[in-house]
Amino acid sequence: MTYLDPPGGHHGRPAVPSAEATAALARCVSVEPAKFAAAHWGHTPLLSRAAELPDPAGFTDLLSPADADELLSRRGLRTPFLRVAKDGQLVAASRWTGGGGAGAEIGDQVLDERVLEQYASGATLVLQGLHRIWPPLVDFARDLGLALNQPLQINAYLTPAGSQGFATHYDTHDVFVLQVDGRKHWRIHPPVLPDPLEKQQWGGRADEVAATAQGPAALDVVLAPGDALYLPRGWLHSAQAQDASSLHLTVGIRALTRYALVEELLALSAEDQRLRASLPFGTDVADPDAIEPELTETVEALRDWLLRADPGAVAARLRQRAWPAARPAPIRPLAQADALATLDADSRVTVRPGLRWQLVPHDSDTVALRLFDRTITLPASCEPAARALLTGTVTRVGDLPGLPDDADRVTLTRRLLREAVLVPA
């Protein structure tokens, strides 16, 4: 979510989601966003049939089978942008990668003839990180990420008729499954570990997962083209293609959890001298009786420190964790350089789509523009003009407020264009 600083305040607040962000979420769920948030988000699965969604034509505009063939054959794809799985196990990359010929000898490139061999023998192909390399999914991921205010990733699964790529398992992130082509049979079971963290992978509970998968399914459904399925993290699932090959997209949403708050609080607690104190000389750390008084004093010190914890410091650490995981829209370096060379007062610019930012005081003479990967310092006199550019209030350079002349307006705009904060309108 883009963050704005309201007049008279310095704390970010979420902007209203754009029409594009709202439309991206509407493609994935058949209920209103408020109902989805209250009844399903993080709690229960939601099946949305194509006829219930705004575009019953489906998702082939995002990635079609022909597009997948293009990626596998003509785009010089390399690991880790492809995985291959068969009978519940990953196939070693050495079996489907190699050098790409003259001028492309590096041996981790996807070889189409070997991919054909794997796929024709029943293996599932997993195209990974498509939100970084396939333009329609780059845009869709940005818009959906803004609607959810969460970092996300998009993979595609191509499964031959009758095959199943992975055994029953759970993910440690929420997912939207968007069925593009073919039909796939999904069996969904309740979690064996509700709300698992990223480090709590299903492999550590394989016996529980297998036992639960033998019981009755909470949802037993075949997805057809245009259908969508939401699964909260932790819900068990398996999927098998039916009488024809299947292509679906999986949008994985990286959850920000209360445990993330705990981790950042503990990191900040290193500021407390009581918590940095050494254990007494000679303490036997294997003896519970010896540890008990130290544990009691540590818990007391931690409790005292937590009551004084600064929400601003915690928010700053969460920002550093979350913002880099959700890149803004790509820029065009050549077009951007041309815009820099021809910039004048009549030029029009806009904020880079999907950019997360905060504009806050730095000292008496400067303001700080915080971005996903760095902080830019600007003269305090530029604050009204910078805010007008970032919020989209003004797009024409010569209309920027608070600066004495067009030369200063052009200088500020050129700086923000060079920093990839703005793009040509």
Side-chain angles (χ1 to χ4, degrees):
M1 182 81 56
T2 302
Y3 280 79
L4 313 181
D5 288 312
H10 307 307
H11 298 289
R13 62 177 173 82
V16 175
S18 67
E20 292 82 5
T22 301
L25 179 59
R27 295 193 70 175
C28 302
V29 298
S30 57
V31 298
E32 292 297 318
K35 182 176 181 181
F36 173 69
H40 297 282
W41 178 252
H43 299 299
T44 58
L46 173 64
L47 172 64
S48 300
R49 292 298 189 185
E52 304 170 315
L53 296 172
D55 188 1
F59 304 106
T60 53
D61 61 312
L62 299 178
L63 183 80
S64 69
D67 295 333
D69 256 345
E70 172 82 9
L71 281 165
L72 290 166
S73 61
R74 299 172 63 89
R75 294 301 181 101
L77 208 65
R78 299 170 64 183
T79 58
F81 286 101
L82 179 68
R83 286 188 301 162
V84 177
K86 186 176 182 182
D87 300 326
Q89 302 292 326
L90 290 176
V91 178
S94 60
R95 296 178 60 184
W96 44 268
T97 57
E105 290 87 355
I106 298 173
D108 65 350
Q109 298 177 72
V110 173
L111 300 181
D112 41 14
E113 62 272 11
R114 293 188 185 176
V115 170
L116 168 62
E117 178 184 354
Q118 293 295 328
Y119 186 72
S121 66
T124 289
L125 310 180
V126 185
L127 290 162
Q128 301 193 132
L130 295 178
H131 60 291
R132 292 286 292 133
I133 61 174
W134 190 250
L137 290 175
V138 172
D139 296 338
F140 180 71
R142 181 188 67 246
D143 293 337
L144 184 57
L146 289 172
L148 299 172
N149 200 20
Q150 301 277 0
L152 54 81
Q153 64 189 59
I154 301 181
N155 297 343
Y157 291 76
L158 300 108
T159 307
S163 295
Q164 177 176 322
F166 297 94
T168 300
H169 64 285
Y170 66 74
D171 294 319
T172 58
H173 50 263
D174 295 41
V175 299
F176 289 114
V177 176
L178 310 179
Q179 187 69 27
V180 177
D181 187 64
R183 294 159 57 85
K184 207 162 195 181
H185 180 201
W186 288 76
R187 287 177 54 83
I188 313 298
H189 294 83
V192 297
L193 178 69
D195 300 326
L197 302 173
E198 287 191 12
K199 60 185 176 183
Q200 295 174 311
Q201 299 289 328
W202 75 274
R205 294 172 170 79
D207 290 343
E208 293 177 81
V209 169
T212 302
Q214 297 302 314
L219 187 62
D220 191 321
V221 62
V222 174
L223 294 188
D227 292 343
L229 175 65
Y230 165 71
L231 291 178
R233 58 194 166 105
W235 281 73
L236 309 185
H237 55 276
S238 63
Q240 184 172 23
Q242 297 300 283
D243 53 1
S245 59
S246 165
L247 168 60
H248 78 262
L249 298 171
T250 292
V251 182
I253 303 106
R254 304 279 293 276
L256 289 174
T257 67
R258 287 180 175 172
Y259 190 75
L261 292 176
V262 171
E263 290 177 322
E264 302 305 345
L265 284 166
L266 288 177
L268 289 167
S269 72
E271 299 171 6
D272 192 302
Q273 183 177 354
R274 291 173 65 187
L275 292 168
R276 298 199 308 269
S278 300
L279 296 178
F281 179 80
T283 300
D284 182 358
V285 294
D287 181 0
D289 291 334
I291 290 298
E292 192 277 332
E294 292 303 316
L295 181 61
T296 299
E297 186 168 344
T298 300
V299 169
E300 180 181 346
L302 181 59
R303 180 173 58 245
D304 292 344
W305 185 88
L306 289 174
L307 292 174
R308 304 191 309 273
D310 177 10
V314 176
R317 292 186 65 91
L318 287 174
R319 171 173 57 82
Q320 293 167 2
R321 174 191 290 220
W323 281 16
R327 289 185 57 84
I331 62 166
R332 298 178 179 272
L334 303 185
Q336 197 89 347
D338 288 343
L340 282 166
T342 59
L343 188 72
D344 59 27
D346 288 324
S347 299
R348 293 185 176 274
V349 294
T350 188
V351 68
R352 184 179 179 182
L355 185 74
R356 276 101 168 142
W357 59 269
Q358 285 182 320
L359 189 62
V360 297
H362 184 250
D363 55 34
S364 59
D365 299 321
T366 61
V367 293
L369 176 57
R370 296 171 178 165
L371 305 174
F372 71 100
D373 60 346
R374 65 200 184 284
T375 296
I376 300 169
T377 302
L378 301 170
S381 59
C382 293
E383 188 271 342
R387 189 181 306 282
L389 288 167
L390 291 164
T391 59
T393 305
V394 171
T395 60
R396 181 180 175 273
V397 175
D399 294 335
L400 293 176
L403 294 174
D405 53 41
D406 283 347
D408 286 341
R409 297 182 182 101
V410 169
T411 297
L412 171 64
T413 306
R414 180 175 286 114
R415 170 80 187 279
L416 296 180
L417 276 169
R418 186 177 295 277
E419 296 281 1
V421 172
L422 303 176
V423 294

